[in-house]
C-alpha cells in the first residue's frame, strides 16, 4: 500500500484500503495459526514428522503471500488511477479509458478480450472490471480521447472470489469472499457473520495487548507535573474495539500500539478537554469516562512522516481503584485532533 500511496488521498480512499488489507491480514494470521496448530497436533502424523508438516504449511502460505502482495499493489494502483481519472479536468480532456495488454510473458486468457477496447469512464463496465481483478494481473489502463470501441461482444469473465469489484469504487482490495474471511463466517456468505468474528478477534487482541502492556510503564510531563502512564484492559479495549471492524484507522492503531511507549516518550502535548459521557452509549465507555476527569492529546509522527494523535485519559484522584487513581492511561489513537480542546 505504501509503495502506491506515498501520500494519503484527501478522499480517504487510502485509509479505507489500508484498513481493508489490515483486516484481511488479521484473518489470514488467524487462519494460518490454526493451520499450523493442526499440523503440529495431527494425530495421524508421527510426532517426529509434525514439524516438517508445519514447514510445508508455511511454504504454501509463503507462495500465497507473493500473489497477495503483488495483487494488493496492482489493485491499489488501479484505485489510485481511477480516483485521478475522475478529476474534472481529466474527465473533460480524456473522457474514456483504454484497457492495455498485460505485461506478463504468459498473459491469461480471461483479460485478453479487453485488450485495446475503450469504454467511457462512467460506463458500468468499470464497476466490476479493472486491472487487478485476477491474481497477479499485470494489465493496465490509460486515459484517452479516442472514440469508444464496439464492446457488445466482449465477454464478462468470472472473477476469483475475494477480488470482486473495482477497489476505487468499493474501497476494498479484498472482499469478504476471500478464503481467509469466509473460513470464519458461519454461512460463508454474509458480511454479518464475518463481522461477528471480527468483533471476537478484536476483543481477543485487546486482552492480549492489555496483558502485554500492563507490565510496561512510562511517564510524561503534564502541566508541569510528571505523571505515570499505565495500560488498562478497559483503556486498551476501547482503543482497539474497532480495529478489526469498521474503522478506517485500523492500520494506524496496528502500527502504533506495539511501540506505544516509544511514541509516548517523544510525543508533543497539544491540549486537553473535560471528560464527557454525553455522546456515548456503551456502558463500558460511559463507566470509563465517568472515572476520568480530563483527556490529554499528544501529537506523534510515524516513520512515514504521517502525523497522528494519542489520547490519554486521567483517572480521577478519588477513583475507587486506588492503584489507578490519579494516573494517565491510554485511551485512543486517531488521525485527527478534536477542535474543542484547551490548548497550552
Amino acid at each position: 500500500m505504501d509503495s502506491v500511496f506515498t501520500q494519503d488521498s484527501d478522499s480517504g480512499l487510502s485509509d479505507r484500503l489500508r484498513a481493508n488489507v489490515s483486516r484481511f491480514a488479521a484473518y489470514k494470521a488467524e487462519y494460518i495459526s490454526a493451520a499450523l496448530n493442526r499440523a503440529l497436533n495431527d494425530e495421524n502424523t508421527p510426532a517426529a514428522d509434525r514439524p516438517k508438516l508445519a514447514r510445508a504449511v508455511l511454504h504454501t502460505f509463503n507462495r500465497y503471500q507473493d500473489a497477495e502482495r503483488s495483487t494488493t499493489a496492482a489493485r491499489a494502483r488501479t484505485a489510485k488511477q481511477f480516483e485521478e481519472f475522475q478529476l474534472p479536468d481529466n474527465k473533460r480532456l480524456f473522457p474514456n479509458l483504454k484497457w492495455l495488454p498485460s505485461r506478463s510473458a504468459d498473459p491469461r486468457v480471461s483479460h485478453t478480450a479487453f485488450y485495446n477496447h475503450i469504454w467511457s469512464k462512467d460506463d458500468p463496465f468499470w464497476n466490476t472490471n479493472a486491472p487487478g481483478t485476477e491474481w497477479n494481473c499485470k494489465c493496465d489502463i490509460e486515459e484517452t480521447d479516442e472514440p469508444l470501441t464496439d464492446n457488445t461482444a466482449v465477454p464478462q469473465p468470472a472473477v476469483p472470489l475475494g477480488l470482486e469489484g473495482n477497489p476505487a469504487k468499493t474501497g476494498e482490495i479484498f472482499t469478504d469472499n476471500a478464503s481467509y474471511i469466509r473460513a470464519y463466517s458461519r454461512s460463508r456468505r454474509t458480511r454479518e457473520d464475518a463481522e461477528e468474528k471480527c468483533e471476537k478477534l478484536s476483543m481477543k487482541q485487546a486482552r492480549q495487548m492489555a496483558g502485554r502492556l500492563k507490565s510496561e510503564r512510562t511517564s510524561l510531563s503534564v502541566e508541569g507535573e510528571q505523571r505515570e502512564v499505565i495500560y488498562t484492559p478497559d483503556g486498551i479495549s476501547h482503543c482497539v474495539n474497532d480495529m478489526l471492524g469498521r474503522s478506517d484507522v485500523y492500520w494506524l492503531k496496528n502500527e502504533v500500539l506495539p511501540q506505544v511507549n516509544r511514541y509516548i516518550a517523544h510525543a508533543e502535548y497539544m491540549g486537553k478537554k473535560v471528560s464527557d459521557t454525553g455522546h456515548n452509549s456503551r456502558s463500558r465507555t460511559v463507566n470509563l469516562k465517568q472515572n476520568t476527569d480530563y483527556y490529554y492529546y499528544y501529537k506523534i509522527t510515524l516513520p512515514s512522516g504521517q502525523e497522528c494523535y494519542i489520547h490519554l485519559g486521567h483517572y480521577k484522584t478519588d477513583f475507587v481503584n486506588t492503584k489507578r487513581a490519579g494516573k494517565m492511561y491510554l485511551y485512543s489513537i486517531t488521525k485527527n485532533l478534536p477542535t474543542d480542546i484547551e490548548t497550552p
Side-chain angles (χ1 to χ4, degrees):
M1 287 298 306
D2 289 344
S3 69
V4 176
F5 287 95
T6 53
Q7 291 184 332
D8 285 333
S9 57
D10 293 336
S11 67
L13 178 62
S14 58
D15 280 343
R16 287 157 55 208
L17 295 178
R18 282 192 176 96
N20 174 260
V21 295
S22 294
R23 178 173 178 267
F24 174 83
Y27 274 113
K28 176 182 174 181
E30 193 77 4
Y31 186 95
I32 296 174
S33 177
L36 286 172
N37 283 330
R38 287 194 299 271
L40 292 170
N41 296 283
D42 186 356
E43 295 180 355
N44 297 319
T45 302
D49 294 336
R50 292 175 191 173
K52 182 179 179 180
L53 188 62
R55 286 193 295 272
V57 170
L58 286 178
H59 178 72
T60 297
F61 284 106
N62 282 339
R63 288 190 292 106
Y64 293 167
Q65 173 87 349
D66 291 338
E68 290 157 1
R69 182 175 181 177
S70 63
T71 299
T72 296
R75 285 174 66 77
R77 186 165 55 251
T78 291
K80 185 178 181 182
Q81 285 178 312
F82 266 91
E83 190 168 60
E84 293 172 350
F85 292 162
Q86 295 300 325
L87 294 175
D89 284 346
N90 289 346
K91 287 190 72 173
R92 178 175 57 83
L93 295 171
F94 304 103
N96 304 324
L97 293 175
K98 177 189 284 189
W99 193 293
L100 302 178
S102 171
R103 295 175 285 105
S104 175
D106 185 23
R108 56 174 56 86
V109 176
S110 55
H111 283 172
T112 55
F114 299 161
Y115 289 0
N116 297 312
H117 277 259
I118 300 173
W119 290 265
S120 164
K121 286 182 176 180
D122 297 325
D123 195 292
F125 170 84
W126 299 114
N127 293 338
T128 53
N129 299 282
T133 50
E134 290 274 8
W135 293 105
N136 284 324
C137 175
K138 292 182 174 61
C139 294
D140 204 351
I141 49 177
E142 69 175 6
E143 296 177 293
T144 182
D145 58 0
E146 296 177 53
L148 304 178
T149 54
D150 181 3
N151 304 317
T152 55
V154 174
Q156 177 70 37
V159 177
L161 290 176
L163 299 181
E164 300 92 346
N166 184 328
K169 300 175 181 292
T170 65
E172 295 180 326
I173 299 294
F174 302 104
T175 72
D176 284 355
N177 284 323
S179 58
Y180 304 132
I181 298 177
R182 283 188 294 115
Y184 288 103
S185 172
R186 287 191 301 275
S187 67
R188 302 196 174 199
R189 290 179 183 273
T190 65
R191 176 181 290 271
E192 288 75 15
D193 285 340
E195 292 305 328
E196 183 177 338
K197 182 61 182 178
C198 267
E199 291 296 330
K200 291 180 180 178
L201 288 176
S202 180
M203 289 303 99
K204 176 182 177 181
Q205 183 166 5
R207 289 192 296 270
Q208 292 174 341
M209 187 75 69
R212 181 180 67 78
L213 288 174
K214 70 180 181 181
S215 62
E216 298 186 12
R217 294 287 187 275
T218 189
S219 62
L220 42 70
S221 178
V222 180
E223 299 175 326
E225 178 185 346
Q226 200 71 14
R227 296 183 186 174
E228 182 181 9
V229 179
I230 62 175
Y231 304 98
T232 65
D234 284 345
I236 295 292
S237 292
H238 177 270
C239 194
V240 304
N241 183 58
D242 55 5
M243 283 179 67
L244 298 179
R246 297 159 295 279
S247 174
D248 288 348
V249 295
Y250 171 86
W251 68 270
L252 176 63
K253 296 181 181 182
N254 197 40
E255 179 165 341
V256 173
L257 274 173
Q259 305 180 73
V260 67
N261 260 340
R262 181 175 66 83
Y263 283 115
I264 288 177
H266 297 89
E268 177 186 353
Y269 178 55
M270 304 300 293
K272 68 178 182 179
K273 65 182 297 185
V274 175
S275 177
D276 176 19
T277 62
H279 63 283
N280 293 106
S281 58
R282 290 189 177 186
S283 59
R284 174 175 285 187
T285 303
V286 171
N287 290 337
L288 185 61
K289 287 194 169 185
Q290 286 176 339
N291 291 309
T292 302
D293 51 12
Y294 280 96
Y295 286 98
Y296 294 81
Y297 300 88
Y298 293 82
K299 182 171 71 175
I300 62 172
T301 304
L302 305 183
S304 64
Q306 168 79 52
E307 292 183 346
C308 55
Y309 302 91
I310 290 179
H311 303 190
L312 298 178
H314 180 253
Y315 282 119
K316 295 178 179 178
T317 54
D318 59 352
F319 184 23
V320 293
N321 187 328
T322 56
K323 290 184 178 180
R324 299 181 187 177
K327 294 181 179 178
M328 307 283 282
Y329 68 90
L330 178 65
Y331 178 72
S332 188
I333 300 165
T334 66
K335 288 192 68 177
N336 302 306
L337 191 67
T339 58
D340 57 346
I341 62 173
E342 302 174 25
T343 56

